[in-house]
Amino acid sequence: MLKRTYVLLSLALLIIFSAVGAVLPMGEHQALAKEKHKKTLVMGTSADYAPYEYIDTTKGNKIIGFDVDVANHIADKLGYNLVIKDMDFNGLVPALDSKRVDFVMAGMTPNSERKKKVDFSNTYYQAKQLVVTDNPKIKTIQDLKGKTIGVQLGSIQENEAKKIADKVDKVHIEKRNKVPDLVQEIMSKRFDGAVIEDGVAIEYLNKNSDLSAFEIPDSASAGSAVALQKGSKLTDDFNQQIALMKKNGELDKIAKKWFEPKSKKKAEKKSIVDFSTIMPSVPYILKGIVTTLKFVVVSILLGFVLGTILSLCKISKVKVLRWGADAYTSIFRGTPLILQLLIIYNATPQLTGYKIEPFLAGVLTFGLNSAAYVSEIIRAGINGVDKGQREASMALGVSYGSMMRQIILPQALKNILPALMNEFITLTKESAIIAVIGTTDIMRRAQIVGADTYRYFEPLITAGIIYYLMVMALTVLGRMLERRMSRGD
């Protein structure tokens, strides 16, 4: 019975995954260049920094922008294909340090702190620092007295904001992971302004007539450079290509394409809720279902198998096994899930040298975490089986393994199925956390669409509906299994 139920559960989950996978193409969150060359370079970037790098969600998954064009040109001249990996901006230097990527282009300014960990090429673009605001009364940094300004976490703009706070009284600084988050905070009236580089700010100023900007006086010249691994042989090659592009006008040509000011769009009166604005991007969000289902199915199977083993250790007569299983459960239940995810993702390369991929890091984290909870559920189920059956089995000479496999576990599983399905549902909902390491699941895609359209309610509600339908499917699956297992009663 146990084996049959396990197989049924696995098959059902895999069928759901396969069905969706067959309907929707796999959503790769990386741009693959044409296989023109034999060698490949991996570029790390944060694709939420238009016009440097971003995704036009109405057209697909491809990452485009100024940095992408420059990187493609350099890679082609050096004889490499280019692969682009998207991740949070504050994870780019760690990714380079752990050799997950060969170089980083993300409008990144070389500063002394970053230079301790990575090398930089010569600058390929000089930018200015602006204060972007929707308050027409804020025209100088003195007008920021008593105001709240935002900056991107880990960016060069943090220092500029601190300089403003040193000069002007009662300036409160808030940090966010992404530039679109800063603009959204301004539009939501939580921030009075944000420090943003001119090349990036111009994209928002072009699209929104409510926003204005002024240059920060005496701000540091913020040049963008390519970040490379310490001691990389590519540094000289990149410097040569950047010099050539400046000399032959290729850089100016690309900069004009992306940074040339455009006429501002007139403010349009939009409904508070308008799903028509994100309809062209809905297919992009739906493609995240494949990634989410693939992740959830593998994590559930890993958690169930490992949880079963742990539960047997907990009821074992061997003290070391009981102690080890209890310690395991205590650690994974006693620490935040996101902490476990970041440790596995970021610490693995540092400790072992193995460049663990985001998907594998997520599966390991959720599988190991889920196993701690599943082991407690199964242990409770085993203890709930009448002890008389165990005593009778032993009296009849049934081996321990056969007794657990054929008599105890099938009955325990039948009793705990609702609790198990609840754990799987919880895992499905919590899978949205993997967005923080750059996996393009449903949640990550909804955030990207929100950043692209400046409307967050609609894409997040769309993501919520998708998660709800997935949870309902699991709930129905659980009830079907319960009915199937109750036929023998």
Side-chain angles (χ1 to χ4, degrees), residues 210-479:
D210 292 333
L211 296 177
S212 60
F214 61 88
E215 184 179 346
I216 301 174
D218 304 321
S219 60
S221 177
S224 299
V226 183
L228 300 113
Q229 296 168 9
K230 271 289 183 187
S232 172
K233 296 178 181 177
L234 291 169
T235 306
D236 289 340
D237 294 336
F238 272 70
N239 282 334
Q240 289 175 7
Q241 290 302 321
I242 289 171
L244 278 174
M245 292 178 73
K246 287 179 178 178
K247 187 177 180 181
N248 61 24
E250 187 66 29
L251 263 179
D252 290 338
K253 181 180 173 184
I254 297 174
K256 186 177 180 181
K257 172 184 173 184
W258 294 103
F259 297 134
E260 191 170 64
K262 300 169 185 173
S263 58
K264 282 190 176 183
K265 292 181 179 178
K266 291 183 178 180
E268 297 177 4
K269 287 187 177 180
K270 296 180 179 178
S271 304
I272 296 176
V273 178
D274 183 5
F275 280 89
S276 66
T277 57
I278 68 156
M279 286 308 292
S281 301
V282 168
Y284 176 77
I285 298 176
L286 290 176
K287 288 177 182 175
I289 296 176
V290 179
T291 303
T292 298
L293 278 177
K294 185 178 177 182
F295 169 80
V296 168
V297 169
V298 179
S299 297
I300 285 176
L301 293 178
L302 175 62
F304 183 75
V305 172
L306 186 56
T308 303
I309 296 171
L310 280 172
S311 66
L312 295 176
C313 291
K314 288 179 179 179
I315 61 173
S316 169
K317 294 180 180 179
V318 181
K319 285 186 179 179
V320 175
L321 293 179
R322 291 204 307 269
W323 182 87
D326 288 340
Y328 177 96
T329 302
S330 176
I331 291 171
F332 278 91
R333 290 201 311 183
T335 53
L337 181 58
I338 191 169
L339 174 69
Q340 298 163 17
L341 176 63
L342 293 177
I343 286 177
I344 291 177
Y345 181 65
N346 291 320
T348 299
Q350 179 182 335
L351 299 177
T352 67
Y354 175 67
K355 294 184 286 185
I356 189 168
E357 291 297 320
F359 181 80
L360 179 58
V363 165
L364 282 176
T365 303
F366 279 77
L368 294 173
N369 182 277
S370 179
Y373 292 90
V374 170
S375 68
E376 282 296 293
I377 295 171
I378 296 178
R379 183 188 62 80
I382 292 173
N383 290 336
V385 176
D386 186 5
K387 291 182 180 178
Q389 298 193 33
R390 187 177 304 183
E391 293 170 355
S393 301
M394 294 173 67
L396 291 172
V398 180
S399 66
Y400 180 82
S402 298
M403 176 186 69
M404 294 303 297
R405 193 171 57 251
Q406 299 176 7
I407 300 173
I408 304 299
L409 280 177
Q411 296 181 72
L413 187 60
K414 179 181 173 183
N415 295 333
I416 63 175
L417 189 56
L420 273 180
M421 293 308 298
N422 191 49
E423 166 60 20
F424 296 157
I425 287 171
T426 300
L427 189 150
T428 302
K429 291 186 292 184
E430 289 183 342
S431 68
I433 294 176
I434 60 172
V436 302
I437 58 175
T439 303
T440 47
D441 66 334
I442 299 167
M443 189 66 188
R444 172 73 170 165
R445 287 170 181 267
Q447 290 173 334
I448 291 173
V449 171
D452 194 36
T453 60
Y454 306 102
R455 297 184 74 91
Y456 285 81
F457 178 76
E458 293 87 347
L460 290 178
I461 286 295
T462 302
I465 292 171
I466 295 172
Y467 279 113
Y468 179 77
L469 292 175
M470 290 171 63
V471 167
M472 287 299 100
L474 268 177
T475 303
V476 171
L477 174 64
R479 288 174 181 169

Side-chain angles (χ1 to χ4, degrees), residues 57-74:
T57 57
T58 62
K59 297 179 180 177
N61 297 331
K62 191 175 182 181
I63 300 173
I64 57 176
F66 173 69
D67 280 345
V68 176
D69 281 0
V70 174
N72 269 316
H73 183 88
I74 293 175

Side-chain angles (χ1 to χ4, degrees), residues 192-208:
D192 298 292
V195 181
I196 303 176
E197 191 175 302
D198 63 343
V200 176
I202 198 168
E203 186 75 10
Y204 297 97
L205 295 170
N206 284 335
K207 290 183 177 178
N208 195 324

